[in-house]
Amino acid sequence: MSQTSRNNDNFFERVYQVTRLVPFGRVTTYGAIARYLGATRSARMVGWALNSSSSQEEWVPAHRVVNRKGLLTGKIHFPGSNTMQQLLKAEGIRVEDNAVVDFDMHFWDPNVELVKESKK
């Protein structure tokens, strides 16, 4: 296995770890996860990681990750065209026109929340 492949695997696993911490009924963004991981310009790579998350033994709630405007840009990677929206709806998050309604209210920022938790 090449060094690049190992680095990607490690990055992907870190993405999965953070995504598993997004609370029920909340959403975060690809960019927020990338910033938390110290890879500010790697939002797209976070998306690639989440596209592969179904292969993980432990469930990764990838449906809770949206783009910076609250759009469900990753929905094409779920089985069925409305799966992501249905999962969010089951958590009490309203989606209209493929966007999270009241996005700011539902937004969970690991850069704030996880830092706050580590100080407790």
Side-chain angles (χ1 to χ4, degrees), residues 25-29 32 35 66 100 102-110 113:
R26 304 288 297 277
V27 294
T28 195
T29 65
R35 278 189 301 281
V66 297
V100 173
D102 297 324
F103 174 66
D104 291 339
M105 183 178 82
H106 295 288
F107 179 64
W108 179 83
D109 187 348
E113 300 299 330

Side-chain angles (χ1 to χ4, degrees), residues 14-72:
R14 291 170 50 218
V15 168
Y16 303 147
Q17 289 171 357
V18 174
T19 304
R20 288 181 184 115
L21 297 174
V22 179
F24 183 92
R26 304 288 297 277
V27 294
T28 195
T29 65
Y30 304 103
I33 291 174
R35 278 189 301 281
Y36 180 75
L37 295 176
T40 302
R41 301 180 68 115
S42 297
R44 186 164 292 174
M45 195 162 170
V46 170
W48 293 336
L50 293 174
N51 291 344
S52 302
S53 66
S54 62
S55 67
Q56 296 299 296
E57 285 184 34
E58 184 182 347
W59 183 63
V60 178
H63 67 284
R64 296 181 187 151
V65 184
V66 297
N67 85 354
R68 64 188 170 87
K69 296 180 181 179
L71 296 173
L72 279 54

